[in-house]
Amino acid sequence: MAVDSRSVTALGARVLEAALDVWRRVARRAVIVAGPLHHTWRRSLHFRVVAITLVTSSLLVGAFAYLVATQSTNILLDRTRNAAVKQLQVDTDHAAEQLRGFNQAFDPQVQSSLGTIASYLSRGGPEQGGAIVALTSSRNPNLRAQAFDVSPLITPELAHTVAVDHRVADQIRTYDFGSGPTKYLVTGSPVPTGFGPIELYYIVPLTTEDQTAGQIRTMVLLTGAALVILLGVLSALVTRLVVRPVRVAARTAQRLSAGLLDQRMAVHGEDDLALLAASFNQMATNLQRQIVRLEEMSRLQRRFTSDVSHELRTPLTTVRMAADLIFAERDEFDPAVARAAELLQAELDRFEGLLTDLLEISRFDAGFAMLDAEPTDLVPVVRRVVDRLDGVSARAGVPVELTVPETPVIAEVDPRRVERILRNLVGNAVEHSEGRTVSVALGADDAAVAVTVRDHGIGLRPGEEKLVFNRFWRADPSRARQTGGTGLGLSISLEDARLHGGWLEAWGAPGQGAQFRLTLPVRAGDRLTSSPLRLVPPDVVPGHAVDARPASLEVTA
């Protein structure tokens, strides 16, 4: 009958698909079962120690049980084999003595003598727990005396060894004589006679030996299982004694980190764990003392800053009024006095900005800063910041490139704080751009909005991208200020970004400039997961640092 190859292919594809489906189900069940175990394995030291102890002890006890059971079985078998060989030798001598007077195999008395000998040597047969004795002749099949048909127990290999090689041999076979399958030890030996050699087979049931070996295996397995369980319980108890103080220390440390500085561990005894608890408590006491002292110092510092800032407002207002009057009449003074009036006005502006920033920082430190969020289009906010700093960038000779979407970018933000952040970022970029272009870009997606400010100045060394947000920190203290900053702008900007639930990040490389990225959630209160703009500019060459020294600078050895 012809078979369609397409049918065979379709059948094979269905079988393969069914096998893959079964495999996927098994894999899913394995993941469901192994998932919690893997989680527990990673999180519980107690579970790992007990599991390793159980696995290791199970392997060791299993190997020992196998060795004991095997050796016991071999010892029983060797003992039975030795007894069978000795009995076979006695029976062989008896059979040879009884058959010594016969010289012809066809003598009618030979067969009857063989039967008598076999019956005598069987000693009751298997019904009474005795052995089975069979007398056979490979040369004359008619000569055979056996109470049972034992031909299934005598293999050709065994018969050849006994009849042809004239050696004593044995083997173990399983056969059912009506009372169920039973193992037998079959031992054969040649019997010399006047009419030619015959074979005597001595067949011993191994029922007793099997029962004894089974009892030994059962006892070893039960003992091994009890030993493994005992080791598991002991390892669990010992591990708990060690792990429990560690867990208590971990929970106490968590409470300490949460601000509960009065938490301590209980000390019991004088062992190593008690020493650990005492040392931990001493450390907690020292930390509490230091934290309280630092909090008090911080509180006094914040109060001092706030009080000084407020107290300086009154004299500053008086000085400002006088300075404004002098500045308005500077054209009637000598050039030197007029220049001094201009410097006084500029420094008063800077001083007033510093006081404003200090007051803002004190509000952040005291936790009084509030966010006044409202839906705001950020495109005009970014444009307004760039336009207001146009005069500063023009005086510094720094062009500012602005890239914003053509459509509105709406986000729930505090426009005053966002504008302050961008004013600080763009002002710093103009100050550090070394006359090169500053790029400002606005981007948005469904969850976040971002603004990047990129300059091509001296850049930041590794590690300085975190330091730039510290108060009064400068990348190069030797550089002269161009815009008269207070040193608090980026710190305030970082706090404003955090108040929005956003990010303010910095990137920089020596000779490749720096870029700051402000990322804010579109909806107030949402959690940020990504930013629509890259922090590292796409034009950056990895591992390449540009020499940022002025061309006129000469270096001599």
Side-chain angles (χ1 to χ4, degrees), residues 147-223:
F148 298 90
D149 184 14
V150 296
S151 57
L153 297 175
I154 303 173
T155 61
E157 293 80 7
L158 178 62
H160 182 275
T161 303
V162 176
V164 179
D165 298 338
H166 301 289
R167 291 188 294 108
V168 178
D170 64 79
Q171 62 180 194
I172 296 177
R173 302 283 290 173
T174 301
Y175 191 68
D176 185 3
F177 283 105
S179 59
T182 305
K183 287 184 179 180
Y184 292 92
L185 175 63
V186 183
T187 308
S189 174
V191 180
T193 64
F195 52 85
I198 62 174
E199 298 89 49
L200 173 62
Y201 293 100
Y202 188 74
I203 303 170
V204 182
L206 299 177
T207 305
T208 303
E209 287 76 6
D210 272 351
Q211 292 176 353
T212 304
Q215 292 174 357
I216 292 175
R217 285 193 295 269
T218 301
M219 182 182 64
V220 171
L221 288 176
L222 292 177
T223 305

Side-chain angles (χ1 to χ4, degrees), residues 284-536:
T285 301
N286 294 336
L287 287 177
Q288 182 181 15
R289 186 181 300 113
Q290 293 293 331
I291 291 173
V292 170
R293 187 174 65 87
L294 292 176
E295 286 181 348
E296 182 64 21
M297 292 178 59
S298 178
R299 186 183 64 82
L300 293 176
Q301 182 181 13
R302 290 196 300 269
R303 182 175 179 181
F304 175 78
T305 302
S306 179
D307 292 345
V308 168
S309 301
H310 281 90
E311 291 298 330
L312 288 178
R313 279 292 182 182
T314 300
L316 177 62
T317 302
T318 304
V319 175
R320 164 66 72 181
M321 293 175 58
D324 289 343
L325 181 61
I326 296 174
F327 184 76
E329 301 295 334
R330 68 184 182 281
D331 293 337
E332 300 179 3
F333 301 148
D334 295 336
V337 178
R339 176 58 179 165
E342 294 175 355
L343 292 175
L344 178 61
Q345 187 75 6
E347 291 304 316
L348 283 175
D349 291 340
R350 181 182 172 189
F351 188 30
E352 189 173 8
L354 179 59
L355 284 180
T356 303
D357 290 345
L358 287 174
L359 287 173
E360 189 68 23
I361 284 291
S362 65
R363 279 192 290 269
F364 280 118
D365 291 340
F368 294 151
M370 300 296 293
L371 185 68
D372 187 13
E374 60 184 32
T376 304
D377 184 6
L378 293 180
V379 173
V381 174
V382 177
R383 292 186 182 275
R384 185 165 58 248
V385 169
V386 174
D387 292 341
R388 289 181 178 178
L389 291 176
D390 185 63
V392 176
S393 60
R395 287 193 300 272
V398 176
V400 179
E401 295 181 352
L402 179 60
T403 304
V404 294
E406 296 181 357
T407 57
V409 178
I410 307 298
E412 295 180 5
V413 298
D414 187 336
R416 179 182 66 85
R417 295 183 183 276
V418 172
E419 186 171 345
R420 181 167 61 189
I421 296 173
L422 298 180
R423 188 167 60 249
N424 285 325
L425 295 181
V426 177
N428 285 341
V430 171
E431 180 182 355
H432 295 89
S433 63
E434 302 292 340
R436 302 182 181 94
T437 302
V438 171
S439 301
V440 180
L442 172 64
D445 57 21
D446 295 336
V449 295
V451 180
T452 59
V453 180
R454 169 84 158 99
D455 67 70
H456 298 80
I458 60 174
L460 298 173
R461 290 184 291 271
E464 292 184 346
E465 64 274 2
K466 301 294 184 182
L467 298 177
V468 293
F469 299 106
N470 293 346
R471 300 174 185 181
F472 302 108
W473 186 87
R474 291 183 62 83
D476 187 359
S478 64
R479 299 177 68 252
R481 292 184 181 269
Q482 299 295 328
T483 59
T486 64
L488 296 173
L490 290 180
S491 300
I492 296 175
S493 299
L494 180 62
E495 297 295 339
D496 282 335
R498 289 175 177 172
L499 197 61
H500 282 84
W503 304 335
L504 182 58
E505 304 161 282
W507 168 90
Q512 301 193 60
Q515 176 162 292
F516 288 79
R517 181 180 68 181
L518 171 65
T519 308
L520 302 175
V522 171
R523 288 167 292 277
D526 286 357
R527 183 177 180 181
L528 290 177
T529 58
S530 62
S531 178
L533 297 178
R534 295 178 51 183
L535 177 61
V536 180

